[in-house]
Amino acid sequence: QAFTARRGAREGTNSALAMLHLWQLVCLIRMAVAMNSTSPACHLRDGCRGGAIGNALVQLSTAHSRQMRSRQLDSEVEVKAISYNLYWWNVGANNRWQALWDRISNQEPFDLIGFQECEDVARTVQSSGLSGFDYWQGPNKPQANPAPIAWNSAVFSKVSGPDSVVSGPGTVKVGEDQYGDRIVTWVRLKHLATQRTVFFANTHGPLGGCGNDLGNNWVSSVNDNSLPGDVVIMTGDFNCGAGSLAMQKIQALLPRGVNGGIDFILTKGIDKLSGGSSDGYPSDHPLIQGTFQFSTATQPLPSPSPQPMPSPTPGLECGMELDNVDYNGGDLKYLADISSAQECSIACRQESGCQAYTWAKEWNGCYLKDSVTSRVEDTCCVSGLPACPDTSPSPPPSLSCSGFEVWPSIDNGVTCDACTALVLAAPYNGQCRQYCESFGHTCVSAAEEVNENCAVLTRYSCDDTISGTSDILCQCKQDPNMPLPTPSPTPTPTPGGPVSWDEAYAKAENLLVQMTNAEKHSLMRGIPESWDAGFDNGYYVGNTPAIPRLGIPSLNMYDAGNGFSTKHDGLIGTVTCFPSQLAMAASWNTELVSKVAAAIAKEFAEKGSNVILGPSINVHRVARNGRNFEYLSGEDPHLGSRLVEAWLHGAHSQEGMITVAKHAFLNHQETNRHSVSMTVDEKTLWELYYPPWQAAVDSGVGSVMCAYNKIDGIYSCSSNQRMKVDLKNRMGFRGFVMSDWWAAQTTSAVKDGLDQVQPGNQNGLFSSGELSQEPQSAIDESAKRILATMFHRNVFGKGTCTNGSGCRSSLRRNVATEAHASLAHEAAASSIVLLQNANAVLPVSRTVQKIAIVGSAQAALTRPQGSQWFVGDYYSGGGSGHITAGQVITPLDGIRDRAAELGIEVISTLDNNQAVTIAQQADLTIVVGATSSGESEDRPNLRLDNGGDDLISKVSAVSQRTVVLAQSPGALVMPWRNEVDAIAIMFLGGQATGSAWASIIFGDAVPTGRLPLTIPESESDTIAPSQSLSVNYAEGLATSYRNKDFDAAFAFGHGLTYTEFEYGDPAGWLCETGWCIELEIKNKGQLAAPEIVQLYLEYPSEAGQPSPILKGFNRTQFLEAGAVEIVSFALSSQDLSYYSSQQAAWVQVAIETCTAHIGASSADIRHSLSGQDAQTRTTLTSTQTPTTMPPTTSLTTPLPF
């Protein structure tokens, strides 16, 4: 219309029409600035399946391009579109069609028409006299809200031919509410005059989640169905009522639209086409029309060549700007994902014609402008203004509407007559109490909507979560006891980097006093609607809202410790599928674990996440636990502690990243995981299961996730003893405790140490209404812990996107790199444990000419798209942490490709019945067997899938040499182990599984992995999951290698390589740390390799240990043949201590009562050294004494771990 008005004035066309257009232009500008709808805010929701009288939006774009507004008028053609909110049951009433037809016939013909809620578009189009139009109805079924489309057949034809598969018409569901499905209908059309392809779509948007789900899904419908070069035109009724915040969210989303290519917006152009309300329905039926121009070129024109600009005018950091059309001219381009004002300035310098810029800090958007201009109304910051105007809430005198005293919303709620309508979205979460508290008031009552006479329809309490509606009235009153927000708050300054916990808490205290209770509450729960929005709509697995007025960013949480989970299929191929955390445990390589964690954290950051829901660190108890592949500790607390420390060190190298250790505590089986209760003695807790958690605390982990199970009959998340006493007090944890998803049971758990619930949609749990009933001190403590964690990890000021619409492009970003693919291969190869290698069958010798590969796992595919969430594959376990590899290297691919390079023939079959035949034809047979597991259920057994055990026995009976490659999420039984020559195992190795196998079996790399668990002789040599709802850990410390009654096929710590090492005699002495031991390690073989030297400490009988336990391991360098390295151990006072349940304290034993056993595994001990030998070499004495903390029986006393 702006173009039309200017053209009319220039060409001297009908002055009345030109004036009409100019008047419409002024109205549109005013509406865009004020962000207010011209439709009444107070309306009656009619009965037409949610056919509310709402805002209509017409949107034009060139998909995947930004060329529209830079074109000259004489090179463009016009397309006219109209959107009409039509009610099928009264099409003929009140001359509605006549009013529409009059509008059309009195102006130039329209080319595109979008309808809402037309039961039979064919009948209505034909009966209305709209001849010459083609049309498509879309679904016509109960509980569907069609959004039909029609196009002028004299102007357009439907695209056909080779690209007909993307021509449509089609339908995309964008949401649903109590009235049925809300859909977008679309079609790709050929503009006959220019041969340009136009993508035309029409929507009838959902009532609930307007501006969240709707906006995201609307853009998805365009993204997924339009093609590069399409001109995109969108019409529709967004059904947002008078809610300004919802429309603002839509507008905030649209500038980033179709891959960033939506150029301008026309909103809320609503005219009344019929008068009166005699039909019983409101009279403000919306109509919006737009005239748009696009280039006659068949392809988008190239952008002007960038030319540096000497000195663009600096813009301001704007935290409120919501679209790129609110200025009085001057917009050149919008750039998404710009993380700083400096980066925005550089972009301006490189853009031809850019004279000024504005950086929208809230969502990292950069607006490039062709001049320094002022805005029509200074409601935010723009280039050329000296400072941001004060946007803090300042409640005006109260208004009156049907007995309600209401305050205009701080998000510019739209005023209609004498009432204010408020769209409740984040951070209010549908509750008037939160809304009122947001500007220092208390809530009196709440009501839903009003009709055109401003009459209240439904009343609610202040704590009710109101959904399925857009207009809510909140009655608020000033509370002298509630502090008002700071009049003009200054966003928190960006710290220079991670800070100490003490400094972080000081900063948190200063920020906490500026916060309202509603803001504190918003930090303590997830955003309720985020989970239902799906993972392709800018939300993460867990979300807390940003608080822009205080500069508090959103928390964007995602799974998991093994990499960025592919929650929806659109993420596949955009991230790296690293090996499982159990595979990393098998590397026994702290440096490598740290490198992988750093790479994972980098991918999280690039995906817009600032919270990694990992690492998983529980020590295994049950061999069949479906989640064992997730756990970095394997079966040993010392191994776990060392690797947890390394993992966190790597992840924390990514500044601004919070880590979450999970699942606290005793999450040892999936069977009955939501109801089972675990009971264990204190000694076993502190010595076997708590050490990795203490290591996480000492390494600065930001959060701990409490588990689903109960402990001593109390749900973990409600356990004061475990969360508050043990974790926060005794271990000294200073971060915050979050629940596993839906694991919290009561809001009162905030007093017991639970600080945050996720995902936030759990029947009002931790709602403001419920939290307001809890002690204020508990609320402040939890909010402070969350803020302190954010300061500690320097989350503030890192430019992380704001979850919701602001993060959509980040989530879709491809962050997988060649460097990470190479690291994934290195990690997978390092995780392989060579268990057996009779007659040195590996590496494959040069005498081997033909290899047979059998077993269905050799060419196993990744998890099929659309699978249930808990399903795993042979590369990544199932559940919340699953990653579907975009390009997996199967064992067959990896081995066959490397064999071809070496001139070795490979034959293979997936048919077990043919396996024996081809095994007889080969010099060497490789059997690839596998099994997997997933969250929510335990493994049924410890065997290979698809008859793998029988296959191995049959093949080995006829093969000259047999090698078994096993892929598993945990322990396996290997009844055939004495029938084969070589066995190697990989604990779900990720995308590089095949290339890793090839590198080991052909000798390109040497195996360096060691078992982080025991391979049992039989399943009876393990602890099975219990079907009982009350599980007593009667075995105490006697799990894994610590249980003398369990027989091992391969012992904990075992792992072979392609050489042998000689262990020299150890020497020990008393040193500053405690007991120091060293010995020489010599490579006495022919190939270079590292050795992993392990120390198992035997305590005196009073310590109550069932066997020597791992207390140290050191990895040598790669030692060449004949090379020697001195390996040292330093046993600390903590290593020399045991936990006394009677004293509730750690008690140090005398060194002379201990024996250090040093070897290559828990069963392969090469030397033993008595502590008495150390005593004779010094005049120092050591006696059995408690640690420096005096003995106590109080479990609440903080103790050193």
Side-chain angles (χ1 to χ4, degrees):
Q1 287 179 334
F3 284 126
T4 304
R6 290 163 60 187
R7 178 186 299 171
R10 185 178 66 243
E11 297 178 355
T13 55
N14 183 282
S15 60
L17 181 59
M19 288 303 296
L20 172 63
H21 286 157
L22 287 171
W23 175 81
Q24 290 171 329
L25 173 61
V26 171
C27 290
L28 287 172
I29 292 174
R30 291 178 60 190
M31 287 186 288
V33 171
M35 296 267 184
N36 291 336
S37 171
T38 58
S39 66
C42 306
H43 65 265
L44 171 70
R45 170 153 305 131
D46 51 68
C48 175
R49 298 193 185 99
I53 315 306
N55 301 305
L57 176 130
V58 178
Q59 178 59 53
L60 169 69
S61 168
T62 300
H64 319 300
S65 169
R66 303 178 191 275
Q67 305 303 317
M68 289 295 299
R69 286 183 289 167
S70 61
R71 307 273 166 73
Q72 297 298 315
L73 286 175
D74 56 10
S75 68
E76 296 176 335
V77 296
E78 286 189 349
V79 168
K80 298 190 72 174
I82 190 169
S83 177
Y84 186 53
N85 200 346
L86 176 71
Y87 300 96
W88 61 266
W89 66 83
N90 61 355
V91 166
N94 299 313
N95 295 316
R96 295 182 185 278
W97 266 109
Q98 185 61 48
L100 175 60
W101 183 247
D102 289 345
R103 172 62 66 91
I104 294 174
S105 61
N106 289 334
Q107 299 183 31
E108 298 176 37
F110 283 88
D111 304 308
L112 302 170
I113 302 179
F115 305 102
Q116 286 77 52
E117 300 207 12
C118 189
E119 184 184 44
D120 186 347
V121 70
R123 173 172 57 81
T124 51
V125 167
Q126 292 169 351
S127 64
S128 67
L130 294 178
S131 60
F133 275 79
D134 291 329
Y135 48 82
W136 192 62
Q137 166 71 37
N140 189 8
K141 58 185 180 181
Q143 290 303 304
N145 291 280
I149 49 180
W151 57 95
N152 191 333
S153 57
V155 179
F156 294 101
S157 65
K158 192 172 82 68
V159 172
S160 59
D163 58 350
S164 59
V165 292
V166 293
S167 299
T171 296
V172 179
K173 179 180 175 181
V174 294
E176 62 181 72
D177 56 22
Q178 66 267 41
Y179 301 107
D181 293 344
R182 305 290 168 168
I183 64 173
V184 167
T185 56
W186 62 272
V187 66
R188 295 183 71 239
L189 304 169
K190 184 74 72 176
H191 188 262
L192 299 177
T194 65
Q195 294 299 295
R196 290 297 302 275
T197 304
V198 172
F199 179 86
F200 174 48
N202 184 55
T203 184
H204 188 186
L207 296 173
C210 195
N212 296 315
D213 299 357
L214 170 62
N216 292 327
N217 294 339
W218 176 81
V219 173
S220 287
S221 72
V222 178
N223 254 328
D224 296 341
N225 296 291
S226 64
L227 295 178
D230 284 355
V231 174
V232 178
I233 298 179
M234 185 79 182
T235 62
D237 174 5
F238 275 77
N239 240 332
C240 290
S244 63
L245 184 57
M247 283 309 301
Q248 288 175 9
K249 288 201 171 191
I250 293 172
Q251 291 170 318
L253 182 70
L254 295 183
R256 292 185 294 281
V258 187
N259 289 346
I262 291 181
D263 292 284
F264 61 89
I265 308 169
L266 298 177
T267 61
K268 313 186 188 80
I270 299 173
D271 295 315
K272 295 182 180 180
L273 297 184
S274 60
S277 57
S278 59
D279 57 358
Y281 296 96
S283 59
D284 55 334
H285 294 267
L287 167 73
I288 182 167
Q289 66 184 65
T291 302
F292 304 110
Q293 295 79 28
F294 58 86
S295 169
T296 59
T298 57
Q299 296 296 331
L301 297 178
S303 300
S305 300
Q307 296 179 3
M309 187 185 70
S311 55
T313 300
L316 300 174
E317 295 182 0
C318 173
M320 296 286 290
E321 179 80 342
L322 287 173
D323 60 46
N324 63 339
V325 296
D326 286 343
Y327 306 125
N328 191 11
D331 287 341
L332 276 179
K333 183 180 287 190
Y334 172 84
L335 302 177
D337 300 320
I338 301 299
S339 60
S340 68
Q342 181 180 12
E343 188 177 349
C344 188
S345 173
I346 293 173
C348 183
R349 292 174 183 272
Q350 296 175 343
E351 182 71 22
S352 177
C354 183
Q355 299 294 319
Y357 64 89
T358 295
W359 180 49
K361 182 178 182 180
E362 186 177 3
W363 55 84
N364 297 335
C366 177
Y367 300 91
L368 305 184
K369 302 176 65 60
D370 62 8
S371 60
V372 180
T373 60
S374 297
R375 198 169 157 172
V376 178
E377 294 184 12
D378 300 338
T379 57
C380 192
C381 337
V382 297
S383 304
L385 294 181
C388 289
D390 182 6
T391 58
S392 60
S394 179
S398 61
L399 305 175
S400 176
C401 178
S402 300
F404 268 74
E405 184 182 47
V406 296
W407 295 93
S409 68
I410 60 172
D411 52 280
N412 299 324
V414 181
T415 300
C416 162
D417 298 330
C419 66
T420 295
L422 168 68
V423 172
L424 289 182
Y428 309 129
N429 299 321
Q431 294 177 349
C432 276
R433 183 181 300 280
Q434 292 190 47
Y435 166 62
C436 295
E437 288 181 354
S438 69
F439 53 87
H441 287 60
T442 56
C443 178
V444 177
S445 59
E448 175 193 2
E449 298 198 48
V450 288
N451 61 17
E452 61 258 39
N453 297 319
C454 291
V456 173
L457 294 182
T458 307
R459 294 182 181 272
Y460 295 92
S461 75
C462 290
D463 296 323
D464 285 337
T465 299
I466 307 171
S467 60
T469 181
S470 57
D471 298 336
I472 299 172
L473 295 176
C474 299
Q475 183 179 6
C476 309
K477 70 176 182 179
Q478 189 166 357
D479 183 356
N481 297 319
M482 183 176 293
L484 286 171
T486 305
S488 183
T490 301
T492 304
T494 303
V499 300
S500 70
W501 278 113
D502 287 343
E503 186 178 351
Y505 266 84
K507 290 176 177 287
E509 290 274 10
N510 291 334
L511 190 55
L512 192 69
V513 298
Q514 303 178 53
M515 299 178 69
T516 66
N517 266 343
E519 290 167 336
K520 296 172 187 176
H521 299 163
S522 72
L523 291 177
M524 297 171 63
R525 62 172 172 270
I527 299 175
E529 65 268 25
S530 63
W531 188 263
D532 297 327
F535 300 124
D536 191 27
N537 287 292
Y539 285 109
Y540 295 79
V541 175
N543 307 268
T544 62
I547 306 176
R549 78 176 190 89
L550 296 174
I552 300 175
S554 63
L555 290 180
N556 307 336
M557 310 171 183
Y558 216 80
D559 291 302
N562 58 307
F564 199 88
S565 174
T566 52
K567 297 293 183 187
H568 65 87
D569 293 339
L571 292 172
I572 296 173
T574 69
V575 295
T576 305
C577 181
F578 287 100
S580 73
Q581 289 194 277
L582 181 60
M584 296 310 304
S587 74
W588 288 56
N589 187 333
T590 55
E591 181 179 352
L592 180 61
V593 167
S594 188
K595 284 174 60 179
V596 170
I600 289 171
K602 187 175 189 298
E603 292 197 359
F604 269 69
E606 292 176 351
K607 284 285 191 180
S609 174
N610 51 18
V611 181
I612 302 176
L613 297 174
S616 301
I617 65 175
N618 285 346
V619 175
H620 296 189
R621 175 180 181 263
V622 175
R624 283 165 45 198
N625 181 8
R627 302 188 79 172
N628 276 351
F629 68 90
E630 294 185 38
Y631 290 125
L632 187 58
S633 297
E635 289 179 346
D636 188 82
H638 181 80
L639 176 66
S641 297
R642 291 277 301 276
L643 298 182
V644 166
E645 178 185 12
W647 194 96
L648 290 172
H649 176 75
H652 290 164
S653 67
Q654 181 70 47
E655 192 175 341
M657 189 63 65
I658 295 173
T659 51
V660 181
K662 59 185 187 181
H663 305 89
F665 297 110
L666 307 180
N667 183 214
H668 290 139
Q669 64 178 53
E670 293 299 278
T671 301
N672 300 321
R673 68 173 181 169
H674 292 287
S675 53
V676 67
S677 178
M678 309 303 195
T679 300
V680 62
D681 63 273
E682 293 293 309
K683 180 179 179 66
T684 300
L685 260 180
W686 285 97
E687 292 191 9
L688 180 55
Y689 297 122
Y690 274 174
W693 298 96
Q694 183 69 65
V697 170
D698 294 342
S699 300
V701 72
S703 181
V704 164
M705 182 187 295
C706 52
Y708 291 119
N709 56 274
K710 300 176 184 177
I711 304 174
D712 298 326
I714 301 172
Y715 279 102
S716 175
C717 294
S718 298
S719 176
N720 183 287
Q721 178 65 46
R722 303 311 171 195
M723 297 302 127
K724 199 167 188 178
V725 176
D726 289 358
L727 177 64
K728 291 184 175 180
N729 292 346
R730 301 179 70 180
M731 292 189 203
F733 176 56
R734 304 190 72 179
F736 66 97
V737 173
M738 72 165 66
S739 73
D740 203 340
W741 271 228
W742 303 286
Q745 301 297 315
T746 64
T747 300
S748 63
V750 70
K751 299 191 295 288
D752 298 312
L754 179 61
D755 302 303
Q756 185 186 84
V757 296
Q758 290 293 346
N761 61 349
Q762 195 176 353
N763 300 320
L765 204 68
F766 268 53
S767 66
S768 282
E770 291 194 7
L771 286 173
S772 64
Q773 304 303 311
E774 300 300 328
Q776 186 64 45
S777 59
I779 306 302
D780 290 346
E781 171 69 12
S782 292
K784 181 167 58 178
R785 280 180 171 269
I786 296 168
L787 291 172
T789 302
M790 296 171 74
F791 279 115
H792 178 60
R793 293 303 320 147
N794 191 25
V795 173
F796 291 90
K798 299 311 297 178
T800 303
C801 60
T802 298
N803 52 39
S805 61
C807 290
R808 185 161 186 169
S809 60
S810 295
L811 276 166
R812 291 187 169 188
R813 184 180 296 130
N814 189 335
V815 300
T817 65
E818 288 298 324
H820 286 181
S822 177
L823 180 59
H825 168 84
E826 178 189 354
S830 298
S831 77
I832 293 173
V833 183
L834 181 61
L835 300 176
Q836 182 171 298
N837 194 22
N839 303 314
V841 67
L842 294 179
V844 174
S845 72
R846 295 182 180 180
T847 62
V848 172
Q849 299 298 310
K850 182 184 291 187
I851 295 175
I853 305 178
V854 301
S856 59
Q858 65 178 289
L861 301 177
T862 57
R863 184 174 82 177
Q865 293 191 18
S867 297
Q868 292 181 295
W869 68 278
F870 53 81
V871 174
D873 54 38
Y874 296 155
Y875 312 102
S876 179
S880 56
H882 177 77
I883 302 174
T884 299
Q887 291 184 328
V888 70
I889 303 174
T890 67
L892 176 61
D893 290 339
I895 296 170
R896 184 169 52 193
D897 291 349
R898 185 65 180 112
E901 294 174 357
L902 298 171
I904 300 174
E905 181 184 356
V906 171
I907 57 177
S908 67
T909 180
L910 300 178
D911 188 342
N912 286 2
N913 295 321
Q914 298 178 9
V916 171
T917 301
I918 71 166
Q920 293 173 319
Q921 303 170 11
D923 303 315
L924 174 71
T925 300
I926 296 175
V927 186
V928 183
T931 186
S932 191
S933 67
E935 183 179 349
S936 81
E937 60 183 9
D938 291 321
R939 295 165 63 187
N941 53 58
L942 298 181
R943 296 183 176 273
L944 295 171
D945 293 345
N946 302 321
D949 295 328
D950 291 337
L951 176 65
I952 292 170
S953 294
K954 290 178 181 179
V955 167
S956 63
V958 300
S959 175
Q960 295 184 42
R961 285 167 284 188
T962 306
V963 174
V964 175
L965 306 181
Q967 296 167 202
S968 175
L972 282 175
V973 291
M974 301 178 177
W976 34 260
R977 64 188 177 92
N978 294 323
E979 304 169 17
V980 302
D981 296 283
I983 307 170
I985 191 169
M986 183 191 299
F987 297 104
L988 305 185
Q991 67 184 44
T993 291
S995 61
W997 279 131
S999 67
I1000 295 299
I1001 67 174
F1002 290 111
D1004 300 317
V1006 296
T1008 60
R1010 302 293 185 268
L1011 284 175
L1013 45 75
T1014 298
I1015 299 296
E1017 184 68 36
S1018 68
E1019 290 197 23
S1020 63
D1021 296 305
T1022 68
I1023 298 173
S1026 175
Q1027 298 297 323
S1028 173
L1029 296 182
S1030 180
V1031 179
N1032 180 31
Y1033 288 25
E1035 75 284 349
L1037 296 169
T1039 65
S1040 185
Y1041 70 92
R1042 293 168 291 272
N1043 192 319
K1044 297 178 181 177
D1045 295 328
F1046 286 168
D1047 291 329
F1050 297 102
F1052 174 87
H1054 171 72
L1056 304 176
T1057 189
Y1058 295 152
T1059 189
E1060 294 182 357
F1061 295 94
E1062 180 180 286
Y1063 283 56
D1065 292 332
W1069 66 94
L1070 297 176
C1071 57
E1072 184 178 353
T1073 58
W1075 186 12
C1076 290
I1077 300 171
E1078 66 179 27
L1079 71 161
E1080 289 185 350
I1081 302 296
K1082 179 180 180 179
N1083 183 352
K1084 63 178 185 178
Q1086 301 301 313
L1087 296 177
E1091 174 67 316
I1092 298 176
V1093 186
Q1094 303 163 39
L1095 186 153
Y1096 295 83
L1097 188 63
E1098 181 180 351
Y1099 292 81
S1101 59
E1102 62 264 27
Q1105 286 291 345
S1107 72
I1109 58 176
L1110 183 70
K1111 281 297 178 181
F1113 65 91
N1114 279 320
R1115 180 188 185 90
T1116 70
Q1117 301 297 314
F1118 270 76
L1119 298 179
E1120 299 292 337
V1124 175
E1125 180 174 318
I1126 297 176
V1127 173
S1128 300
F1129 297 94
L1131 297 175
S1132 67
S1133 60
Q1134 181 61 49
D1135 294 325
L1136 296 164
S1137 297
Y1138 69 91
Y1139 186 85
S1140 169
S1141 298
Q1142 292 73 26
Q1143 300 183 59
W1146 289 92
V1147 177
Q1148 184 176 338
V1149 299
I1151 292 176
E1152 59 266 26
T1153 64
C1154 298
T1155 301
H1157 303 280
I1158 302 170
S1161 78
S1162 60
D1164 183 8
I1165 300 301
R1166 307 293 178 88
H1167 294 286
S1168 296
L1169 181 67
S1170 171
Q1172 293 180 347
D1173 296 333
Q1175 180 65 35
T1176 60
R1177 299 181 58 173
T1178 178
T1179 59
L1180 296 176
T1181 60
S1182 176
T1183 58
Q1184 178 175 318
T1185 59
T1187 57
T1188 55
M1189 183 66 64
T1192 176
T1193 57
S1194 171
L1195 293 179
T1196 61
T1197 303
L1199 296 172
F1201 182 79

